[in-house]
């Protein structure tokens, strides 16, 4: 081999080494930046497992329902936790960041309660013997569903002989109860929100395997149309821009309980299957920038739902913490070393 | 240094010891010396009604094959083949002379037709409401009962509208009924309260006027010609030599409301003695070879009724335990949700509407009819 040729090979080697070194440095920088997650800020330790967590206006709200003892409604910020209300049962609540509404049972009596977010000025806006289901604040009104008892005292598979769900509402400031549509669904549900004058409602049939139906209700004339029905009891979300998201069991597996697909319907009314094969779960969240699906793996992953063409990516979360819920700009996480029944809670900004 | 501290276990001895231990474990396992399988309650005689021994489960026949004929567990509203059609709480079903199956697809507010090959089309109905006219724009409200007339018409118990409707030649008309209530007469003078089932013998219509606790008889022009009160709310009616009425609370009765058969209702679940197995909550009946078939919505099974005895032919019933859900297979292993309508094609097919599973199931009873029944374990 000539000395000139040897020199050339030497040059190539140096070049290759430089490229490899550069690549390694870039990878290190990339990985480093991905791992630079914000430090969680403590907000305290819950007395029981937080349920139905909402993050609104810089505060976290949840309910606790111990097996023995009363249900509690909690508000928490980095400044501390506060018990807003207690009741024998406290199955649902909602807040717009100013007012807090919740459903409560004391003995055999059910109520829909309202207070400011600090718990002041609490009062009942409705009381009765039937459980109010899925309370929700929408455009200056409080909505919930009341189950109209079945006309016959025996469980039968004939829908007209089963209970149905009456949509009712009152103004947030107080006023007369207004009945809206009565949906031919038997068991449970919630109002999701209003978009372009229509109220969107999720209704559930509990019979095995159960079904979830989504309705669009004209609040003026009480007419309604069913948008879709899916098997099982699954969540849905109406975003601030009026897009409806819902889950359905995957049709590509023989075991629909292990995989989920996500659908979306925008203002045009076109239903779009967004993604499939997500781990079953779960819940849907809207943050300031994204819509996310949280599965029920341990720990759960939060999947950003984008376009149909792209498989969703998961939200980066700090190691040793388990995310519980998402707010507009923050996530509520718990220390993985604490039990879920009494979690040490932290808040982190979303990336 | 002590002598014992220097002692070392020989590798050969250790290997031999491990090998012997493994062999012992294997022998114990194979001989079942430790984990003995508990004897099945069926052969052991479940009689006696108690004594702390739970009664054996009641299971259907291995000779019956259960399949999904149309629809799937996920509710929906779609025509198409077996796999693509979707129903939403199908209830009453009826067969015509060509073997087409008509389905009261209640929560879709439609009447569907399924060919013997399993292709589903919408016969009538659009959105929830009440409107006569062209079949595709007519409106129903939670229809639960259908009957196929010999005149080619399909009669519908339009349950939520408290009316009896007729579908013929692509048109839907109201035969009888108006607002909810009770009134005799003809056409719109008649009032029903939540009519859930309908049957016809070709000349008259028999309506389970469920919340009026009556069977109403109409001629084919919509005029009430008779009827009678029932002790409880009837959900099924069958014409078979006499009018047979099904009511989930009281069982199966004959015309006039007197008990027809000794098929009591077991309100507490299955009894301990297999000989006492009874239908818990019959909701619909159809003719069977030398008897009737019945659906039971609480026991989630299909029964054959003959000579005052009920025999489970498909499904699984366990005392004090609800076994529901969707699973095809032989009648011994198949599961059903909440069953309602039932129809037999006069040959080897029994159709049932699995309301909570949103589909139509089909039972092939050929092996039962040809007497090739195996002895059950």
């Amino acid at each position: 081999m000539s000395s000139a040729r040897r020199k050339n090979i030497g040059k190539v080697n140096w070049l290759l080494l430089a490229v490899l070194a550069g690549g390694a440095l870039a990878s290190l920088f990339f990985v480093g930046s991905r791992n630079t997650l914000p430090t969680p800020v403590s907000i305290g330790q819950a007395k029981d497992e937080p349920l139905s967590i909402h993050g609104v206006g810089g505060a976290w709200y949840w309910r606790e329902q111990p097996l023995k003892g009363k249900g509690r409604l909690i508000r928490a910020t980095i400044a501390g936790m506060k018990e807003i209300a207690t009741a024998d049962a406290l199955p649902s609540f909602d807040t717009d960041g100013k007012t807090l509404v919740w459903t409560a049972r004391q003995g055999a009596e059910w109520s829909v309660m309202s207070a400011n977010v600090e718990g002041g000025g609490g009062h009942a806006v409705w009381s009765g013997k039937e459980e109010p289901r899925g309370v929700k604040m929408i455009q200056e009104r409080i909505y919930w569903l009341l189950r109209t008892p079945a006309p016959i005292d025996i469980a039968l598979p004939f829908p007209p002989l089963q209970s149905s769900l009456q949509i009712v509402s009152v103004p947030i400031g107080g006023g007369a109860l207004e009945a809206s549509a009565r949906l031919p669904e038997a068991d449970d549900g919630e109002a999701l929100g209003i978009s372009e004058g229509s109220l969107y409602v999720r209704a559930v049939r509990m019979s095995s395997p159960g079904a979830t139906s989504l309705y669009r209700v004209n609040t003026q004339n009480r007419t309604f149309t069913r948008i879709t029905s899916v098997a099982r009891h699954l969540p849905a979300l109406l975003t601030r821009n009026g897009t409806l998201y819902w889950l359905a069991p995957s049709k590509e597996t023989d075991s629909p309980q292990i995989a989920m697909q996500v659908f979306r319907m925008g203002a045009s009314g076109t239903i779009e299957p967004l993604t499939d094969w997500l781990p079953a779960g779960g819940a849907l969240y809207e943050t300031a920038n994204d819509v996310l699906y949280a599965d029920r793996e341990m720990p759960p992953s939060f999947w950003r739902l984008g376009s149909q063409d792209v498989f969703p990516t998961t939200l980066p979360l700090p190691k040793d913490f388990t995310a519980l819920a998402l707010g507009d700009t923050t996530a509520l996480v718990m220390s993985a070393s604490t039990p879920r029944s009494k979690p040490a809670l932290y808040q982190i900004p979303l990336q | 240094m002590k002598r014992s501290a220097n002692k070392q276990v020989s590798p050969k001895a250790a290997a031999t010891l491990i090998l012997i231990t493994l062999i012992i474990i294997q022998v114990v396992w194979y001989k079942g010396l430790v984990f003995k399988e508990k004897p099945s309650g069926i052969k052991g005689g479940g009689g006696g009604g108690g004594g702390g021994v739970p009664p054996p489960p009641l299971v259907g026949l291995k000779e019956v094959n259960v399949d999904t004929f149309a629809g799937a567990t996920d509710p929906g509203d779609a025509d198409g083949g077996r796999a693509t059609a979707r129903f939403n709480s199908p209830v009453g079903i009826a067969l015509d002379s060509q073997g087409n199956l008509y389905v009261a697809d209640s929560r879709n507010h439609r009447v569907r037709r399924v060919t013997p090959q399993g292709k589903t089309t919408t016969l009538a109905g659009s959105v929830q409401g009440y409107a006569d006219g062209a079949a595709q724009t007519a409106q129903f409200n939670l229809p639960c009962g259908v009957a196929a007339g010999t005149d080619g018409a399909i009669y519908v118990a339009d349950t939520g509208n408290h009316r009896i409707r007729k579908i013929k030649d692509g048109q839907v008309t109201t035969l009888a009924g108006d607002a909810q209530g009770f009134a005799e007469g003809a056409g719109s003078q008649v009032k029903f309260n939540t009519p859930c089932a309908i049957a016809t013998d070709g000349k008259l219509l028999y309506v389970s006027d469920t919340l009026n606790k009556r069977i109403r008889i109409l001629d084919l022009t919509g005029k009430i010609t008779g009827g009678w009160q029932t002790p409880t709310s009837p959900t099924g009616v069958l014409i078979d030599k006499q009018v047979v009425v099904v009511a989930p609370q009281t069982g199966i009765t004959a015309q006039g409301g007197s008990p027809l058969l000794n098929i009591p209702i077991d309100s507490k679940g299955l009894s301990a003695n297999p000989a006492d197995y009874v239908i818990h909550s019959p909701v619909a009946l159809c003719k069977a070879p030398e008897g009737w078939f019945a659906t039971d919505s609480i026991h989630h099974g299909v029964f054959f009724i003959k000579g005052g005895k009920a025999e489970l032919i498909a499904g699984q019933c366990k005392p004090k335990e609800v076994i529901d859900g969707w699973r095809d297979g032989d009648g011994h292993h198949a599961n059903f949700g909440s069953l309602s309508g039932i129809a037999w094609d006069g040959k080897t097919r029994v159709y049932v509407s699995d309301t909570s599973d949103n589909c139509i199931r089909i039972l092939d009873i050929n092996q039962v009819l040809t007497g090739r029944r195996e002895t059950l374990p």
Side-chain angles (χ1 to χ4, degrees):
Chain A
M1 197 181 281
S2 70
S3 66
R5 190 173 164 83
R6 220 177 281 136
K7 262 185 186 176
N8 277 344
I9 289 172
K11 269 183 191 171
V12 169
N13 280 345
W14 277 112
L15 197 64
L16 194 66
L17 201 63
V19 168
L20 284 173
L25 279 173
S27 305
L28 271 176
F29 177 76
F30 180 72
V31 171
S33 69
R34 297 279 288 184
N35 282 337
T36 312
L37 293 170
T39 307
V41 179
S42 173
I43 61 169
Q45 185 149 21
K47 289 180 183 168
D48 216 294
E49 182 182 358
L51 305 167
S52 318
I53 305 165
H54 289 22
V56 182
W60 295 99
Y61 303 83
W62 66 82
R63 60 188 187 87
E64 296 173 4
Q65 191 68 57
L67 286 175
K68 290 177 182 174
K70 289 181 175 278
R72 296 183 290 268
L73 183 58
I74 308 292
R75 180 178 191 266
T77 63
I78 50 174
M81 282 185 200
K82 186 178 180 186
E83 186 177 279
I84 302 294
T86 62
D88 290 346
L90 215 150
S92 70
F93 73 93
D94 192 29
T95 180
D96 59 1
K98 290 180 275 180
T99 306
L100 195 54
V101 294
W102 67 95
T103 60
R105 180 178 61 77
Q106 296 284 14
E109 189 82 2
W110 284 97
S111 305
V112 176
M113 303 293 295
S114 174
N116 66 44
V117 287
E118 295 285 349
H123 63 284
V125 296
W126 176 88
S127 293
K129 297 290 179 197
E130 184 65 35
E131 179 185 347
R133 290 158 195 275
V135 71
K136 188 88 176 176
M137 297 172 68
I138 306 168
Q139 295 183 357
E140 304 301 315
R141 294 189 76 83
I142 307 167
Y143 285 86
W144 67 94
L145 306 180
L146 283 175
R147 216 162 76 152
T148 306
I152 188 167
D153 190 22
I154 180 169
L156 287 170
F158 297 74
L161 299 180
Q162 297 172 343
S163 53
S164 51
L165 292 172
Q166 176 84 58
I167 304 165
V168 296
S169 66
V170 294
I172 286 177
L177 186 80
E178 190 177 284
S180 181
R182 191 154 69 93
L183 304 177
E185 302 290 343
D187 297 305
D188 205 352
E190 61 179 338
L192 298 170
I194 286 180
S195 175
E196 297 186 1
S198 292
L199 178 72
Y200 288 77
V201 179
R202 183 182 77 98
V204 170
R205 277 173 241 160
M206 301 303 280
S207 59
S208 176
T212 302
S213 296
L214 299 174
Y215 287 88
R216 186 193 292 115
V217 179
N218 183 324
T219 51
Q220 301 300 312
N221 62 15
R222 301 183 184 186
T223 58
F224 55 86
T225 52
R226 191 180 62 229
I227 297 163
T228 190
S229 290
V230 296
R232 300 179 187 276
H233 313 142
L234 295 168
L237 171 77
L238 185 73
T239 62
R240 286 181 280 265
N241 72 2
T243 304
L244 184 66
Y245 287 79
W246 66 91
L247 305 180
S250 173
K251 286 192 172 62
E252 294 187 1
T253 166
D254 284 344
S255 304
Q257 65 274 19
I258 63 162
M260 284 284 141
Q261 52 182 338
V262 183
F263 287 89
R264 165 168 82 183
M265 188 185 80
S268 68
T270 306
I271 292 175
E272 179 189 14
L274 260 190
T275 186
D276 203 339
W277 285 105
L278 289 177
L284 290 161
Y285 294 95
E286 182 181 23
T287 66
N289 300 316
D290 294 302
V291 173
L292 297 102
Y293 163 67
D295 63 36
R296 274 202 189 140
E297 301 288 297
M298 284 304 289
S301 296
F302 287 71
W303 303 80
R304 280 197 176 98
L305 303 170
S307 76
Q308 199 175 14
D309 311 324
V310 183
F311 195 78
T313 55
T314 55
L315 200 67
L317 291 163
K319 213 179 159 190
D320 303 326
F321 289 89
T322 301
L324 298 177
L326 304 180
D328 268 358
T329 56
T330 52
L332 184 70
V333 300
M334 63 174 272
S335 163
S337 62
T338 56
R340 212 174 173 88
S341 56
K342 278 186 184 171
L345 299 169
Y346 297 80
Q347 177 177 291
I348 57 162
L350 288 174
Q351 291 194 313
Chain B
M1 194 180 282
K2 286 181 181 176
R3 190 181 161 85
S4 59
N6 284 333
K7 253 189 179 175
Q8 292 209 343
V9 179
S10 145
K12 272 186 185 174
T16 312
L17 192 67
I18 290 168
L19 198 66
I20 289 168
T21 312
L22 285 172
I23 289 168
I24 290 169
I25 289 170
Q26 205 163 21
V27 168
V28 168
W29 181 267
Y30 272 111
K31 293 278 181 187
L33 296 176
V34 179
F35 304 106
K36 278 191 177 174
E37 202 171 292
K38 286 178 183 171
S40 157
I42 290 183
K43 282 184 179 169
V53 180
L58 176 62
V59 292
L61 305 177
K62 282 182 176 172
E63 297 82 356
V64 171
N65 188 58
V66 181
D67 204 354
T68 300
F69 183 58
T73 50
D74 52 322
D77 181 8
D79 289 340
R82 283 187 178 209
T84 50
R86 291 290 180 274
F87 299 86
N88 200 338
S89 300
V91 185
I93 55 176
L95 284 160
D96 68 11
S97 55
Q98 278 81 49
N100 294 306
L101 187 76
Y102 296 88
V103 182
D105 189 5
S106 67
R107 281 196 168 99
N108 279 331
H109 315 288
R110 289 165 193 220
V111 176
R112 318 286 291 277
R113 175 168 50 201
V114 192
T115 66
Q117 293 73 39
K119 187 181 176 192
T120 300
T121 52
T122 298
L123 182 70
S126 51
V127 295
Q128 184 175 17
Y130 170 66
D132 283 337
Q136 302 308 323
T137 54
Q139 294 172 4
F140 296 88
N141 186 0
L142 298 168
C144 287
V146 282
T150 52
D151 56 353
I154 300 301
Y155 298 93
V156 183
D158 187 5
T159 313
N161 281 327
H162 312 284
R163 289 170 167 95
I164 303 304
R165 316 284 292 276
K166 177 181 175 180
I167 308 168
K168 193 172 184 190
D169 301 327
Q171 292 291 312
V172 176
T173 52
T174 299
L175 202 63
D178 189 47
Q180 183 176 15
F182 176 77
E184 306 284 21
S188 59
Q189 296 169 331
V190 182
K191 285 186 178 175
F192 299 97
N193 189 350
T194 322
C196 282
I198 187 167
T200 181
D201 59 4
K203 295 172 193 161
L204 295 170
L205 298 170
Y206 298 81
V207 177
S208 284
D209 191 2
T210 307
L211 294 185
N212 276 328
K213 295 182 184 172
R214 282 169 189 272
I215 297 297
R216 316 286 295 275
I217 305 171
L218 297 82
D219 65 20
L220 298 183
T221 68
K223 184 183 174 190
I224 295 281
T225 61
W228 66 90
Q229 280 190 289
T230 53
T232 54
S233 298
T235 57
V237 60
L238 167 70
I239 322 297
D240 182 20
K241 297 173 191 164
Q242 51 199 319
V243 182
V244 186
V245 183
V246 188
Q249 298 113 311
T250 48
I252 299 167
T253 56
Q255 187 168 358
S258 59
L260 178 69
L261 286 172
N262 182 25
I263 301 174
I265 297 297
D266 177 5
S267 60
K268 294 173 187 167
L270 291 165
S271 64
N273 189 342
D276 293 338
Y277 282 139
V278 291
I279 291 183
H280 189 150
S281 183
V283 292
L285 270 185
C286 72
K287 285 184 193 177
E290 303 171 27
W292 305 320
F293 292 119
T295 49
D296 186 323
S297 69
I298 301 291
H299 278 168
H300 308 279
V302 182
F303 286 80
F304 172 58
I305 296 168
K306 187 183 172 187
K309 296 218 171 188
E311 180 185 14
L312 183 69
I313 64 164
Q316 298 181 43
C317 308
K318 271 189 183 173
K320 317 290 182 196
E321 185 184 338
V322 173
I323 302 177
D324 65 345
W326 172 90
R327 184 165 71 181
D328 285 337
D330 62 51
H332 191 88
H333 294 97
N335 291 151
F336 299 93
S338 295
L339 294 174
S340 51
I342 187 163
W344 175 48
D345 73 350
K347 296 172 189 166
T348 59
R349 290 175 157 197
V350 178
Y351 300 90
V352 292
S353 51
D354 190 343
T355 307
S356 61
D357 285 321
N358 304 295
C359 59
I360 306 298
R361 315 284 291 277
I362 185 169
L363 282 64
D364 184 338
I365 57 168
N366 185 42
Q367 286 193 56
V368 179
L369 295 178
T370 52
R372 279 185 277 144
R373 283 180 51 172
E374 293 171 26
T375 305
L376 289 176

